[in-house]
Amino acid sequence: MRHPHSRTRGPRRRPRAGTALAGAALALAALALAGCSGSGHATSLPDYKIPAEKAREGEAVPEGRTGKSADMRFTVVGFRESMTDVMGTHAAMDAKGAFTRVRLLAVNTGRDIQVFDTWKQRLVTTDGRTYSPDVNATMIKRQPERISVGASMRVEFDLWFDVPRGAKTKAVRLYGSPPVGATSDPAPAEIRLP
């Protein structure tokens, strides 16, 4: 005797082989598409094609001079020392010693904004002394004092230093800003020059 609330069911049907195969194929296609959606699992991504720039007069173009501080990756792309003066759009000035110019490419590899502070950076000479960027040369050449570098953003600019005449550059010491949650300044990137 049947229970009054039970339902009558017909014979169970088995799925056809074609339907099961189609479902499996869809699942595999979804997995394959997920792998192509920018999840970072690709083996070889193309490089950006960035237009090259000519070096300026007397400027060395070092290769492989890269370092990292926090989420900021620095590459020295140009370098010149022993310049006696600087000229800009609104002023000119002689060096107290000699100007050294370092052309930098800075790339924020993190997910948050990095603040590049020009005044924290240092030039190291072969005698072990360090020098801060020169305020007057920086202003005359209209280079930035502070730059907010957004996530995955890259910027290129010059650092200007006034060092004693005859001093030889050993390295540039570069500081990124502390990442979110950090309680102290990050270790600098020290990039050997020339």
Side-chain angles (χ1 to χ4, degrees), residues 112 178-184:
D112 201 6
V180 174
T183 57
S184 62

Short mmCIF file of all heavy atoms in Angstrom, two decimals, residues 112 178-184:
data_model
loop_
_atom_site.label_atom_id
_atom_site.label_comp_id
_atom_site.label_asym_id
_atom_site.label_seq_id
_atom_site.Cartn_x
_atom_site.Cartn_y
_atom_site.Cartn_z
N ASP A 112 50.01 49.32 -4.02
CA ASP A 112 49.65 50.59 -3.39
C ASP A 112 50.57 51.68 -3.93
O ASP A 112 51.61 51.40 -4.53
CB ASP A 112 49.77 50.47 -1.87
CG ASP A 112 48.96 51.52 -1.14
OD1 ASP A 112 48.21 52.26 -1.80
OD2 ASP A 112 49.08 51.60 0.09
N PRO A 178 57.91 53.09 2.69
CA PRO A 178 57.50 51.87 3.39
C PRO A 178 56.19 51.32 2.86
O PRO A 178 55.27 52.08 2.57
CB PRO A 178 57.32 52.34 4.85
CG PRO A 178 58.03 53.64 4.93
CD PRO A 178 57.99 54.25 3.57
N PRO A 179 56.08 50.00 2.69
CA PRO A 179 54.80 49.43 2.27
C PRO A 179 53.76 49.55 3.38
O PRO A 179 54.10 49.83 4.53
CB PRO A 179 55.14 47.96 1.98
CG PRO A 179 56.46 47.70 2.61
CD PRO A 179 57.14 49.02 2.84
N VAL A 180 52.51 49.34 3.01
CA VAL A 180 51.41 49.43 3.98
C VAL A 180 51.68 48.49 5.15
O VAL A 180 52.03 47.32 4.95
CB VAL A 180 50.07 49.09 3.30
CG1 VAL A 180 48.95 49.03 4.33
CG2 VAL A 180 49.74 50.10 2.24
N GLY A 181 51.55 48.99 6.36
CA GLY A 181 51.73 48.17 7.55
C GLY A 181 53.15 48.13 8.07
O GLY A 181 53.40 47.61 9.15
N ALA A 182 54.12 48.69 7.32
CA ALA A 182 55.51 48.67 7.77
C ALA A 182 55.69 49.66 8.92
O ALA A 182 55.05 50.71 8.97
CB ALA A 182 56.44 49.03 6.63
N THR A 183 56.58 49.32 9.84
CA THR A 183 56.83 50.19 10.99
C THR A 183 58.17 50.92 10.89
O THR A 183 58.51 51.69 11.77
CB THR A 183 56.79 49.37 12.30
OG1 THR A 183 57.76 48.32 12.20
CG2 THR A 183 55.41 48.79 12.52
N SER A 184 58.92 50.68 9.83
CA SER A 184 60.19 51.37 9.65
C SER A 184 60.46 51.55 8.16
O SER A 184 59.81 50.95 7.32
CB SER A 184 61.34 50.58 10.29
OG SER A 184 61.45 49.31 9.67
#
